[in-house]
Amino acid sequence: MSPVIPIRAEADIGCADAPVLRERGQREVFCGLTGIIWLHRKIQDAFFLVVGSRTCAHLVQSAAGVMIFAEPRFATAIIDERDLAGLADANTELDRVVTRLLERRPDIRMLFLVGSCPSEVIKLDLSRAAERLSKTHLPKVRILNYSGSGIETTFTQGEDACLASLVPVAPVSADDAAPSLLVVGTLADVVEDQFMRLFAELGIGPVRFFPPRRAGDVAPVGPNTRFLLAQPFLADTARALEARGAQRLPAPFPLGEEGTTLWLQAAATAFGVAAARFHEVTAPKRERAQRALARHRSQLAGKRIFFFPDSQLEVPLARFLSRELEMALVEVGTPYLHRQHLAQELALLPSGTALSEGQDVDKQLDRCRAARPDIVVCGLGLANPLEAEGLTTKWAIELVFTPIQGYDQAGDLAELFTRPLLRRMKLVA
Ligand code: SF4
């Protein structure tokens, strides 16, 4: 039998009420179109049609790389000068592009029209376009829309906007339906499968994931739905689900051994799983995750880390790195601090952690340079200049693309931080 591994209690209120430095200045972030890169892999019969400029097309294409073997599941309908000058009817053009696309690609079951800065500039109403086109193409293809525009957003908000647009499509669950669990937020298939097995072992079910892998499998939602957020950047999606009567289960996010345990614990409590059963199922996996983390702790303990605001994963990552790997948090910057969704995370951060929300990039760079942290988590635009100044960096976007949630990925997540430090040490040696 495995030894009892206690779940660490909150030592104090951590940073629950901590002051936050709020900055509103120049920012260095990608726009929400970036989310298409992981969303198109998840919903396998969906297509993302960006209605944007050549810049938008270039961003999505270069971020996704060139897909040589698969039929692409995203494209850009380019708004050109004639559209911008109001000389062409952009709606007619869009209808033509969509009709041609759906004729050529009978495998598409869900089409997202994704708004951009240029489509917003010419005030192209994509929700009306989606409604109009749905009339022609339903029931075979469902057409939805959301905005991936870069004005005042950050790149993970693209996923939030996409998933929020999917909520109205969810069937209404019957009032007398048994409580069901919905895991909300895009997870790699391998992670989803692991969680599915864990929930089954715990006797929790039915469990569905949102977004689903197939467009036709959107889970029913209603007052009997309990949902767990798997990602911390889904404020609009959560609001839309709550408006349908679903109840959020407050929990930290499933990063690291502790985060994963507390996340599962929230579901176990809501579904009445006995403590002994919970322990029996999770203890061997927790032990394995702790062993994987111990290998990295010796390299990361005491190392000082600085987060620039980028992915919105910063607070859960900071909690994981400080509590499970004993790293020291110099500053934890995040684009938006959602106090409600992050309440359990903030309570676990060491008291006195320097938190900042929003960005004034020059001021923040000054603080970072003055602190000379051992590692900096930031966007691609800041990484190269900081590396050139001798600082070690980690691209925040990599943490969104990589499977990092759950017990089996805890060691891999730690390794994402040890690797750049070891590389720097080799360069210096
Ligand atoms: S949506 Fe806006 S910020 Fe994003 S690539 Fe297009 S023009 Fe640039």
Side-chain angles (χ1 to χ4, degrees):
M1 187 179 160
S2 11
V4 175
I5 311 170
I7 298 169
R8 281 192 279 168
E10 296 165 22
D12 51 27
I13 58 157
C15 288
D17 296 323
V20 176
L21 172 67
R22 290 208 164 73
E23 293 195 314
R24 294 284 176 269
Q26 202 196 325
R27 302 167 356 130
E28 288 279 339
V29 287
F30 275 149
C31 70
L33 295 186
T34 320
I36 292 171
I37 291 132
W38 62 90
L39 286 163
H40 88 270
R41 292 196 187 121
K42 190 74 219 172
I43 318 173
Q44 288 155 19
D45 49 2
F47 194 98
F48 293 81
L49 184 66
V50 177
V51 184
S53 64
R54 286 181 204 286
T55 310
C56 309
H58 186 69
L59 173 104
V60 180
Q61 191 60 54
S62 53
V66 180
M67 285 187 286
I68 300 168
F69 300 110
E71 274 270 42
R73 288 205 293 270
F74 58 84
T76 307
I78 306 279
I79 296 173
D80 60 20
E81 287 78 10
R82 277 167 43 80
D83 300 306
L84 287 169
L87 296 174
D89 182 347
N91 278 305
T92 312
E93 265 303 281
L94 182 61
D95 290 9
R96 196 179 56 77
V97 169
V98 167
T99 303
R100 209 178 48 196
L101 170 71
L102 296 179
E103 277 168 6
R104 266 196 343 100
R105 295 285 302 276
D107 54 310
I108 297 171
R109 290 285 172 275
M110 186 173 272
L111 174 66
F112 288 98
L113 303 176
V114 188
S116 66
C117 306
S119 75
E120 283 171 16
V121 166
I122 63 165
K123 302 212 174 347
L124 188 56
D125 188 341
L126 290 183
S127 67
R128 283 184 57 192
E131 240 172 72
R132 184 178 66 239
L133 285 159
S134 285
K135 282 191 191 127
T136 317
H137 298 284
L138 266 173
K140 189 163 177 269
V141 187
R142 190 177 283 284
I143 300 174
L144 301 172
N145 77 288
Y146 72 90
S147 171
S149 142
I151 302 165
E152 286 298 307
T153 60
T154 186
F155 73 93
T156 43
Q157 273 176 280
E159 172 168 344
D160 190 21
C162 173
L163 298 195
S165 79
L166 204 53
V167 174
V169 170
V172 179
S173 67
D175 279 353
D176 56 353
S180 62
L181 179 65
L182 190 63
V183 177
V184 181
T186 302
L187 293 168
D189 288 355
V190 56
V191 176
E192 234 178 64
D193 293 342
Q194 289 164 9
F195 283 145
M196 202 62 188
R197 283 195 293 274
L198 272 165
F199 288 125
E201 282 181 59
L202 288 167
I204 296 173
V207 181
R208 307 288 291 271
F209 290 83
F210 192 87
R213 294 184 197 185
R214 314 287 312 176
D217 289 342
V218 181
V221 175
N224 296 316
T225 308
R226 311 282 176 270
F227 71 94
L228 267 179
L229 290 178
Q231 302 285 5
F233 41 73
L234 298 173
D236 288 350
T237 308
R239 208 173 303 124
L241 288 168
E242 281 162 352
R244 292 273 303 262
Q247 290 171 36
R248 183 177 67 88
L249 303 177
F253 292 88
L255 299 182
E257 180 274 312
E258 183 186 36
T260 303
T261 304
L262 293 171
W263 187 77
L264 291 169
Q265 176 92 73
T269 305
F271 283 79
V273 178
R277 180 68 190 151
F278 185 77
H279 172 73
E280 195 186 340
V281 171
T282 56
K285 295 168 179 71
R286 294 178 61 197
E287 244 185 295
R288 215 175 40 235
Q290 286 177 352
R291 272 202 306 277
L293 290 171
R295 285 200 297 278
H296 296 280
R297 195 175 304 114
S298 54
Q299 278 152 340
L300 293 175
K303 292 280 190 299
R304 299 164 67 247
I305 187 161
F306 191 110
F307 286 89
F308 279 84
D310 201 59
S311 66
Q312 302 192 64
L313 282 170
E314 294 84 5
V315 173
L317 283 171
R319 180 264 304 156
F320 162 69
L321 293 167
S322 73
R323 287 174 65 90
E324 300 195 46
L325 295 158
E326 295 169 23
M327 292 187 81
L329 307 174
V330 179
E331 177 168 334
V332 182
T334 186
Y336 304 102
L337 192 71
H338 195 299
R339 285 227 173 246
Q340 218 184 349
H341 290 181
L342 290 173
Q344 285 70 25
E345 293 286 353
L346 290 169
L348 293 171
L349 280 183
S351 301
T353 302
L355 292 165
S356 61
E357 183 186 17
Q359 189 169 47
D360 189 329
V361 70
D362 288 325
K363 284 188 190 158
Q364 201 167 25
L365 277 168
D366 288 346
R367 294 198 294 276
C368 180
R369 287 180 181 122
R372 298 295 301 174
D374 295 295
I375 184 162
V376 180
V377 181
C378 59
L380 293 162
L382 293 178
N384 280 350
L386 289 173
E387 286 277 342
E389 293 175 30
L391 288 160
T392 303
T393 60
K394 174 89 237 146
W395 293 350
I397 201 163
E398 211 185 320
L399 296 153
V400 180
F401 288 158
T402 314
I404 56 171
Q405 295 82 4
Y407 291 126
D408 292 350
Q409 281 63 240
D412 300 344
L413 176 55
E415 194 178 348
L416 289 174
F417 295 88
T418 38
R419 225 184 297 140
L421 282 168
L422 291 175
R423 191 191 61 218
R424 169 71 62 181
M425 271 155 56
K426 279 190 195 140
L427 286 176
V428 173

PDB file of all heavy atoms in Angstrom, residues 31 33 53 55-56 59 116-118 148-150, ligand 1:
ATOM      1  N   CYS A  31      -2.094  38.366 -30.767  1.00  0.00           N
ATOM      2  CA  CYS A  31      -3.555  38.498 -30.739  1.00  0.00           C
ATOM      3  C   CYS A  31      -4.229  37.131 -30.634  1.00  0.00           C
ATOM      4  O   CYS A  31      -3.577  36.085 -30.719  1.00  0.00           O
ATOM      5  CB  CYS A  31      -4.033  39.245 -31.974  1.00  0.00           C
ATOM      6  SG  CYS A  31      -3.850  38.285 -33.480  1.00  0.00           S
ATOM      7  N   LEU A  33      -5.921  35.420 -32.621  1.00  0.00           N
ATOM      8  CA  LEU A  33      -5.906  34.485 -33.759  1.00  0.00           C
ATOM      9  C   LEU A  33      -5.015  33.287 -33.454  1.00  0.00           C
ATOM     10  O   LEU A  33      -5.212  32.204 -33.997  1.00  0.00           O
ATOM     11  CB  LEU A  33      -5.387  35.175 -35.036  1.00  0.00           C
ATOM     12  CG  LEU A  33      -6.211  36.315 -35.619  1.00  0.00           C
ATOM     13  CD1 LEU A  33      -5.607  36.753 -36.950  1.00  0.00           C
ATOM     14  CD2 LEU A  33      -7.654  35.897 -35.822  1.00  0.00           C
ATOM     15  N   SER A  53      -6.576  40.379 -42.873  1.00  0.00           N
ATOM     16  CA  SER A  53      -5.634  40.917 -43.855  1.00  0.00           C
ATOM     17  C   SER A  53      -4.518  39.915 -44.129  1.00  0.00           C
ATOM     18  O   SER A  53      -4.478  38.845 -43.522  1.00  0.00           O
ATOM     19  CB  SER A  53      -5.021  42.204 -43.300  1.00  0.00           C
ATOM     20  OG  SER A  53      -4.279  41.851 -42.136  1.00  0.00           O
ATOM     21  N   THR A  55      -1.584  40.307 -43.122  1.00  0.00           N
ATOM     22  CA  THR A  55      -0.835  40.211 -41.858  1.00  0.00           C
ATOM     23  C   THR A  55      -1.423  39.091 -40.995  1.00  0.00           C
ATOM     24  O   THR A  55      -0.699  38.278 -40.422  1.00  0.00           O
ATOM     25  CB  THR A  55      -0.931  41.541 -41.075  1.00  0.00           C
ATOM     26  OG1 THR A  55      -0.605  42.589 -41.954  1.00  0.00           O
ATOM     27  CG2 THR A  55      -0.032  41.558 -39.862  1.00  0.00           C
ATOM     28  N   CYS A  56      -2.763  39.043 -40.929  1.00  0.00           N
ATOM     29  CA  CYS A  56      -3.423  37.996 -40.134  1.00  0.00           C
ATOM     30  C   CYS A  56      -3.068  36.627 -40.708  1.00  0.00           C
ATOM     31  O   CYS A  56      -2.749  35.691 -39.969  1.00  0.00           O
ATOM     32  CB  CYS A  56      -4.939  38.169 -40.159  1.00  0.00           C
ATOM     33  SG  CYS A  56      -5.519  39.814 -39.736  1.00  0.00           S
ATOM     34  N   LEU A  59       0.426  35.730 -39.779  1.00  0.00           N
ATOM     35  CA  LEU A  59       0.574  35.360 -38.366  1.00  0.00           C
ATOM     36  C   LEU A  59       0.134  33.909 -38.153  1.00  0.00           C
ATOM     37  O   LEU A  59       0.868  33.109 -37.576  1.00  0.00           O
ATOM     38  CB  LEU A  59      -0.258  36.276 -37.468  1.00  0.00           C
ATOM     39  CG  LEU A  59      -0.248  35.795 -36.018  1.00  0.00           C
ATOM     40  CD1 LEU A  59       0.670  36.640 -35.161  1.00  0.00           C
ATOM     41  CD2 LEU A  59      -1.613  35.707 -35.407  1.00  0.00           C
ATOM     42  N   SER A 116     -11.193  39.853 -37.145  1.00  0.00           N
ATOM     43  CA  SER A 116      -9.831  40.370 -36.960  1.00  0.00           C
ATOM     44  C   SER A 116      -9.906  41.892 -36.861  1.00  0.00           C
ATOM     45  O   SER A 116     -10.989  42.475 -37.006  1.00  0.00           O
ATOM     46  CB  SER A 116      -8.991  39.978 -38.168  1.00  0.00           C
ATOM     47  OG  SER A 116      -9.510  40.659 -39.301  1.00  0.00           O
ATOM     48  N   CYS A 117      -8.752  42.528 -36.693  1.00  0.00           N
ATOM     49  CA  CYS A 117      -8.770  44.010 -36.669  1.00  0.00           C
ATOM     50  C   CYS A 117      -9.357  44.563 -37.966  1.00  0.00           C
ATOM     51  O   CYS A 117     -10.267  45.401 -37.914  1.00  0.00           O
ATOM     52  CB  CYS A 117      -7.366  44.574 -36.462  1.00  0.00           C
ATOM     53  SG  CYS A 117      -6.531  43.920 -35.025  1.00  0.00           S
ATOM     54  N   PRO A 118      -8.897  44.095 -39.154  1.00  0.00           N
ATOM     55  CA  PRO A 118      -9.468  44.671 -40.388  1.00  0.00           C
ATOM     56  C   PRO A 118     -10.970  44.431 -40.522  1.00  0.00           C
ATOM     57  O   PRO A 118     -11.699  45.330 -40.941  1.00  0.00           O
ATOM     58  CB  PRO A 118      -8.711  43.946 -41.509  1.00  0.00           C
ATOM     59  CG  PRO A 118      -7.463  43.445 -40.887  1.00  0.00           C
ATOM     60  CD  PRO A 118      -7.779  43.178 -39.449  1.00  0.00           C
ATOM     61  N   GLY A 148     -10.987  37.286 -33.014  1.00  0.00           N
ATOM     62  CA  GLY A 148      -9.608  37.012 -32.589  1.00  0.00           C
ATOM     63  C   GLY A 148      -8.793  38.282 -32.663  1.00  0.00           C
ATOM     64  O   GLY A 148      -7.567  38.237 -32.648  1.00  0.00           O
ATOM     65  N   SER A 149      -9.485  39.420 -32.761  1.00  0.00           N
ATOM     66  CA  SER A 149      -8.818  40.707 -32.982  1.00  0.00           C
ATOM     67  C   SER A 149      -7.797  41.029 -31.896  1.00  0.00           C
ATOM     68  O   SER A 149      -7.966  40.643 -30.742  1.00  0.00           O
ATOM     69  CB  SER A 149      -9.886  41.798 -33.041  1.00  0.00           C
ATOM     70  OG  SER A 149      -9.430  42.959 -32.418  1.00  0.00           O
ATOM     71  N   GLY A 150      -6.780  41.744 -32.311  1.00  0.00           N
ATOM     72  CA  GLY A 150      -5.675  42.021 -31.388  1.00  0.00           C
ATOM     73  C   GLY A 150      -5.859  43.246 -30.525  1.00  0.00           C
ATOM     74  O   GLY A 150      -5.017  43.549 -29.693  1.00  0.00           O
TER      75      GLY A 150
HETATM   76  S1  SF4 B   1      -6.087  40.305 -35.924  1.00  0.00           S
HETATM   77 FE1  SF4 B   1      -5.112  42.299 -35.724  1.00  0.00          FE
HETATM   78  S2  SF4 B   1      -3.355  41.951 -34.357  1.00  0.00           S
HETATM   79 FE2  SF4 B   1      -4.022  39.917 -35.138  1.00  0.00          FE
HETATM   80  S3  SF4 B   1      -2.731  39.568 -36.957  1.00  0.00           S
HETATM   81 FE3  SF4 B   1      -4.675  40.502 -37.673  1.00  0.00          FE
HETATM   82  S4  SF4 B   1      -4.216  42.712 -37.766  1.00  0.00           S
HETATM   83 FE4  SF4 B   1      -2.614  41.766 -36.484  1.00  0.00          FE
END
